[in-house]
Amino acid sequence: MSGRRNAAAQARPAGSSPVEPRPVAPRKPSAFAGGRPWWHFAIDAGALAVLLGLGVLGFGPTFGHDPRYLIAGFGAIVIGLGVAAAGAHWRLGLVTLAGLALAVYLLLGSALAAPGEAILGFIPSLASLRGLLLGIMLSWKQLLTLAPPVGTSVEVMVVPYLSAFVAAVMAGTLAWRLRRAYWAVLPVLALFVTGIAFGTAAVFLPVLRGSLLAAGAVGWLAYRHEMLRRESAGAISANQPVQDVAAERTSILRRIGLAAGVVLVAGAVTMAAAPALTTSSSRDVLRDSVVPPPDLHNLPSPLTRFRDYVKNEKDEALFTVDGLPKNGRVRIAAMDSYDGVVFNVDPNSSASFSPIGDPKALNQAAGGDSSAVGVDIAGYTGPWIPSMSVAQSLSYQSPSGPNPTLYLNKDSGTALNLAGVAKSDKYTMDVTVPQVDAKKLAGSDFGSVALPKLENVPQVVTTKANDIVGEADTPLKKVQALEGALQREGKFSNGLEGQVPSTSGHSAARITKLLSGKQMVGDDEQYATAMVLMARQLGIPARVVMGFYLDEKDPANGAQSVTMKGDDVHAWVEVNFAGAGWVPFNPTPDKDHVPNPPEPQNASKPKPQVLQPPPPPQEPADLPPDTAPDALDTDGRKNNPAGILGAILMILGVAAIPVLVIAIPLILIVVLKTRRRNRRFTTGLPSDRVGGGWSEVMSLATDLGAGVDSNGTRRETAAALYGEFPDSQGTTAVLAERADAAIFGPGQPSEEEVAEYWTHVDHSVTDMKGSVGFFKRQRAKFSPRSLLVDARARAKRRAGRDRAAGDPANPQQRSRLAQMMNKTRRGAK
C-alpha cells in the first residue's frame, strides 16, 4: 500500500504544489438563516393558517357547527405549522420529521381532539391515545356512517384534527424548505376538498370560502414571488447599489397594485359566477355513497302488528308520554315500499337510517319552538322507538345495560334501536310539532321526493282512484277527494268479538276485497294502505305512517301525562307538499260508522251420514337422520377458546396497523442500506471494492448530517470531517490515503488488502457513530438521505454516459471513426 502511495505522489506533475484541502461549504444551520427578517416567515405562517382554516370550516355542517371541532382543527393547524418550522430550522429528515409529528399528534391530540377521554381534559390517557391511534384508520368510516351532527367523541374528532395537522405540516415544510412556494398550495387544496367530501349536502358559505381561498392563495404566492425576485436581484447586484430609489419604489408599488387588482377582479368574478354554478339543489358527498349499517330487510313491517295491538293488547299500557301536546301523535314508522303483501320501510329510499352521532342535536335545522316530551316504556316491545316529528334531541337511558346505538331517519322522523326497546327504558325528546297553513297548502304543488316503485298493485286501485278524483283540479283537492271518499263510503270494523267480521292484513287480495266488495269494511290498516296505493298510482307522493294517538273526544287528550294502550294504535297517510313537507290525512271512517250485518242464509237440510270404510294402511315414511348437534358439542362451541383468541388477535392486529404503517418504511430503508453495503464489499474489481469502502464511510457521514462536498478529493473530505467526528480522525485520514493509493496506483490490491481495508472501514464507522449521541445515531440509521444522494449520482453518471456516446469528439468515437476510414482506404487501393 505504501508503494502505491509513493507512485501516486510521483505521478503528480513536477513543480506543482501539494494539494491543499479545499474548504467545504458550510451547511446552513437553519432554513430560516437566509437573510430574510423573521416577520417574513410570520407572514407565511399567518397566510397558511388562514388558507388551511378555510378548509377546516368545511366540516361545520357535519359537526353541527359545534365550536369544539374548531378547537381541534385550528389547534392542529398551529401545532402542525410548529412541527414544520422545527423541521425546517433543524433540517430534519423525512423519517425524523414523521416521528416528531407522530409524537406531537399523540401528546397534544388528547387535549384538542379527545378531551372527553383525557385525564382532566388534557392529560393523555390510555383511552385517548387508543382513540387517536385507531382513529387514523377507522374514524373516516365512523364519520360517514353517523347522522350529522356526529358529536364530539374522539372517534369522529380525529378526522378534522388529523387532516388539518397533516396538511399544516406538509404546507409549512414545502413553503419553508423549497424556493418555490407553489407546492405548498397543494396540501391547502387537499384539506379544502376533504372538508367537502366528508361534509353534508348542506353547503356552508361556498361563495365566501371559495373566494377567500382563491384571493388569499394568489396574494400569498404573489408575495412569495416578489420576495424571491428581490433576493435574486440582491444577490446579482450586491456590489452595485440601486441609484434611482424612487424608481424602485414606484416599481414595487406598481406590482403590488397590479396584484391587488387581479385579486379583486378574480374575487368579483367568482362571487358573480357562483350563484349560477351552484343552482343545483343536490350535492354529492361521500356519506351519500356509504351504505348505512342497519339492514331493515331483516325487520318485519310494523304494520303487521296492527291487529295484534287491537285484539291482544287492547287494554295493556304500552308506554307513558309526559308533555304530549293536545292531539299530538306518537309515530312508530313511516312506510313507503309495497310488494303486494305488506307495506314496509325501504332502506334505499328516503327512509334510510344512520347512526345518531350526537343525540343532543338531531335536527338543528328545524325551526319553531320546541317542547320537552318524556317517554317511559311499559309493555311496548320492538326495534322501533316511539317518537315524534320533529325530534331535535333524544336522550336515551336503558337500565338493562349500556345505552344502545340508536339510528335516525330525519326524513320520516322515526328512530330505531336494533337491540329492541325494553321495559323501563326512558328517554326524553325536544320536539317541534309542524304547523300546517291551510291557505298556503291550498295553492301548493306536490313535493319532489324519491320513493320506491310499488309492486303487485291490484288493477282495481287505479280504476277506483280515477273514479274518485274525477275533475279535481288542484293537488290538495285530489288528496281530499281520496280521503273523503274512503271516510264516507267505508265502514269501520276491527273484526273483534261482536263486530262484523273483518280480516286483517293489507295484501293485494285484501285491498281488492276492500275496494270491490258490496261495502268497504276494515280499519286503519286497510284504509291507510288503500289511500296510499291510489295516491301513488296517480303520481302523488304518499306513505303510510303507524303510531299512537288519542281520540279528540278522549278526556285524557291534552293532559300532562298520557298512557298509550293497544286500543290507541292508528295508521294514517302522509302526503308531501312543496314548502310544507309531509302533511297527515285520515282516510279511516269513524268507529260508529259500522257496516250492515250480513243477510241470513237459508238453513240447508243435512243429509244422513254414511259410514265410510277405513283408509288402507300406509307404509311408514323414511325420516331423515337426526342432524341436530349434540348439546355438549354446542356448549363446547360456546366455550371454544379459539374464538376468544381470534377476537383478541383481531383487536391486536387493528391496533398494530398504525405501527406497521410507520415501521415498514423504516425496515425498507435498513434493508436497502444492508444490500448496498454487501454490493460494495463483494461486487467489482478489488480497487472498486476499496472505493466502495470509502463510499460506505461517506454514506454514514451524509446520514449523520455532515456537510460533504461531492466535488472534493478524499483527503479534503477527510480533513473536513475532522471537526464533525473527533473520534474518527485517525482512521478517516488513513482510509482516504489508502483508497487513493489503491485506485490510482499500479495493479490491483490483493484480497487480503481489501479485507484489511474494510476492517478499517468498520472501525471508522464505529468511531463516527461514537462521536454523536444516541438519538442522532438512530436517526442516521433510518435516514434515507444517503440513498437519495446515491440515486442522484447514478442519474448523473447515466446522463454523462449518454452524452459521451453521442459526442464524436470523445476518444472512443474518434478511434472508431479512424478504424472505419482506414478500412475504406484499404478497400479503395
Side-chain angles (χ1 to χ4, degrees), residues 311 492-502 594-595 597-598:
K311 283 189 175 183
F492 184 87
S493 175
N494 283 329
L496 302 179
E497 184 178 356
Q499 295 183 358
V500 173
S502 173
V594 296

mmCIF file of all heavy atoms in Angstrom, residues 311 492-502 594-595 597-598:
data_model
loop_
_atom_site.group_PDB
_atom_site.id
_atom_site.type_symbol
_atom_site.label_atom_id
_atom_site.label_comp_id
_atom_site.label_asym_id
_atom_site.label_seq_id
_atom_site.Cartn_x
_atom_site.Cartn_y
_atom_site.Cartn_z
ATOM 1 N N LYS A 311 -106.359 -6.512 19.180
ATOM 2 C CA LYS A 311 -107.013 -7.682 19.776
ATOM 3 C C LYS A 311 -106.386 -8.095 21.105
ATOM 4 O O LYS A 311 -107.100 -8.289 22.102
ATOM 5 C CB LYS A 311 -106.959 -8.851 18.801
ATOM 6 C CG LYS A 311 -107.965 -8.767 17.662
ATOM 7 C CD LYS A 311 -107.987 -10.072 16.870
ATOM 8 C CE LYS A 311 -109.096 -10.035 15.804
ATOM 9 N NZ LYS A 311 -109.176 -11.325 15.067
ATOM 10 N N PHE A 492 -116.356 0.832 9.401
ATOM 11 C CA PHE A 492 -115.276 0.514 10.331
ATOM 12 C C PHE A 492 -115.566 -0.790 11.072
ATOM 13 O O PHE A 492 -116.661 -0.994 11.596
ATOM 14 C CB PHE A 492 -115.088 1.638 11.356
ATOM 15 C CG PHE A 492 -113.939 1.414 12.291
ATOM 16 C CD1 PHE A 492 -112.666 1.821 11.937
ATOM 17 C CD2 PHE A 492 -114.127 0.779 13.512
ATOM 18 C CE1 PHE A 492 -111.605 1.609 12.799
ATOM 19 C CE2 PHE A 492 -113.072 0.560 14.372
ATOM 20 C CZ PHE A 492 -111.794 0.979 14.014
ATOM 21 N N SER A 493 -114.547 -1.648 11.122
ATOM 22 C CA SER A 493 -114.638 -2.880 11.905
ATOM 23 C C SER A 493 -113.230 -3.412 12.117
ATOM 24 O O SER A 493 -112.444 -3.551 11.171
ATOM 25 C CB SER A 493 -115.481 -3.934 11.186
ATOM 26 O OG SER A 493 -115.456 -5.156 11.908
ATOM 27 N N ASN A 494 -112.914 -3.705 13.383
ATOM 28 C CA ASN A 494 -111.642 -4.320 13.725
ATOM 29 C C ASN A 494 -111.694 -5.840 13.715
ATOM 30 O O ASN A 494 -110.680 -6.488 13.950
ATOM 31 C CB ASN A 494 -111.180 -3.864 15.120
ATOM 32 C CG ASN A 494 -110.600 -2.459 15.091
ATOM 33 O OD1 ASN A 494 -110.014 -2.052 14.089
ATOM 34 N ND2 ASN A 494 -110.781 -1.723 16.173
ATOM 35 N N GLY A 495 -112.878 -6.396 13.456
ATOM 36 C CA GLY A 495 -113.010 -7.845 13.481
ATOM 37 C C GLY A 495 -113.040 -8.428 14.866
ATOM 38 O O GLY A 495 -112.822 -9.642 15.027
ATOM 39 N N LEU A 496 -113.275 -7.581 15.909
ATOM 40 C CA LEU A 496 -113.333 -8.095 17.267
ATOM 41 C C LEU A 496 -114.667 -8.789 17.523
ATOM 42 O O LEU A 496 -115.595 -8.747 16.705
ATOM 43 C CB LEU A 496 -113.132 -6.944 18.253
ATOM 44 C CG LEU A 496 -111.824 -6.145 18.123
ATOM 45 C CD1 LEU A 496 -111.799 -5.021 19.154
ATOM 46 C CD2 LEU A 496 -110.629 -7.067 18.292
ATOM 47 N N GLU A 497 -114.758 -9.406 18.673
ATOM 48 C CA GLU A 497 -115.984 -10.124 19.040
ATOM 49 C C GLU A 497 -117.145 -9.144 19.130
ATOM 50 O O GLU A 497 -117.046 -8.084 19.749
ATOM 51 C CB GLU A 497 -115.790 -10.839 20.374
ATOM 52 C CG GLU A 497 -116.970 -11.694 20.779
ATOM 53 C CD GLU A 497 -116.743 -12.437 22.071
ATOM 54 O OE1 GLU A 497 -115.611 -12.330 22.619
ATOM 55 O OE2 GLU A 497 -117.675 -13.114 22.548
ATOM 56 N N GLY A 498 -118.256 -9.470 18.500
ATOM 57 C CA GLY A 498 -119.421 -8.613 18.479
ATOM 58 C C GLY A 498 -119.443 -7.668 17.301
ATOM 59 O O GLY A 498 -120.431 -6.948 17.120
ATOM 60 N N GLN A 499 -118.396 -7.631 16.484
ATOM 61 C CA GLN A 499 -118.359 -6.769 15.315
ATOM 62 C C GLN A 499 -118.505 -7.606 14.043
ATOM 63 O O GLN A 499 -118.367 -8.838 14.070
ATOM 64 C CB GLN A 499 -117.041 -5.977 15.251
ATOM 65 C CG GLN A 499 -116.845 -4.988 16.386
ATOM 66 C CD GLN A 499 -115.551 -4.194 16.227
ATOM 67 O OE1 GLN A 499 -114.792 -4.409 15.285
ATOM 68 N NE2 GLN A 499 -115.314 -3.285 17.159
ATOM 69 N N VAL A 500 -118.788 -6.897 12.959
ATOM 70 C CA VAL A 500 -118.871 -7.576 11.669
ATOM 71 C C VAL A 500 -117.490 -8.124 11.331
ATOM 72 O O VAL A 500 -116.487 -7.448 11.530
ATOM 73 C CB VAL A 500 -119.364 -6.591 10.594
ATOM 74 C CG1 VAL A 500 -119.298 -7.227 9.213
ATOM 75 C CG2 VAL A 500 -120.779 -6.140 10.916
ATOM 76 N N PRO A 501 -117.389 -9.345 10.837
ATOM 77 C CA PRO A 501 -116.072 -9.923 10.513
ATOM 78 C C PRO A 501 -115.293 -9.020 9.555
ATOM 79 O O PRO A 501 -115.823 -8.494 8.591
ATOM 80 C CB PRO A 501 -116.415 -11.268 9.877
ATOM 81 C CG PRO A 501 -117.760 -11.607 10.424
ATOM 82 C CD PRO A 501 -118.487 -10.294 10.593
ATOM 83 N N SER A 502 -114.008 -8.852 9.874
ATOM 84 C CA SER A 502 -113.097 -8.042 9.051
ATOM 85 C C SER A 502 -111.708 -8.663 9.158
ATOM 86 O O SER A 502 -111.095 -8.649 10.239
ATOM 87 C CB SER A 502 -113.074 -6.586 9.534
ATOM 88 O OG SER A 502 -112.087 -5.853 8.850
ATOM 89 N N VAL A 594 -120.494 1.773 11.383
ATOM 90 C CA VAL A 594 -120.320 0.323 11.317
ATOM 91 C C VAL A 594 -121.034 -0.229 10.086
ATOM 92 O O VAL A 594 -121.991 0.366 9.574
ATOM 93 C CB VAL A 594 -120.880 -0.336 12.587
ATOM 94 C CG1 VAL A 594 -120.076 0.114 13.800
ATOM 95 C CG2 VAL A 594 -122.356 -0.007 12.774
ATOM 96 N N PRO A 595 -120.580 -1.371 9.575
ATOM 97 C CA PRO A 595 -121.227 -1.960 8.389
ATOM 98 C C PRO A 595 -122.544 -2.616 8.743
ATOM 99 O O PRO A 595 -122.833 -2.927 9.912
ATOM 100 C CB PRO A 595 -120.194 -2.977 7.913
ATOM 101 C CG PRO A 595 -119.455 -3.359 9.152
ATOM 102 C CD PRO A 595 -119.392 -2.126 10.004
ATOM 103 N N PRO A 597 -125.092 -5.652 9.028
ATOM 104 C CA PRO A 597 -124.840 -7.083 9.278
ATOM 105 C C PRO A 597 -125.131 -7.892 8.022
ATOM 106 O O PRO A 597 -125.946 -7.514 7.185
ATOM 107 C CB PRO A 597 -125.813 -7.396 10.409
ATOM 108 C CG PRO A 597 -126.875 -6.376 10.308
ATOM 109 C CD PRO A 597 -126.229 -5.128 9.806
ATOM 110 N N PRO A 598 -124.491 -9.037 7.844
ATOM 111 C CA PRO A 598 -124.720 -9.867 6.656
ATOM 112 C C PRO A 598 -126.124 -10.457 6.668
ATOM 113 O O PRO A 598 -126.716 -10.688 7.726
ATOM 114 C CB PRO A 598 -123.646 -10.948 6.779
ATOM 115 C CG PRO A 598 -123.332 -11.015 8.235
ATOM 116 C CD PRO A 598 -123.489 -9.605 8.759
#
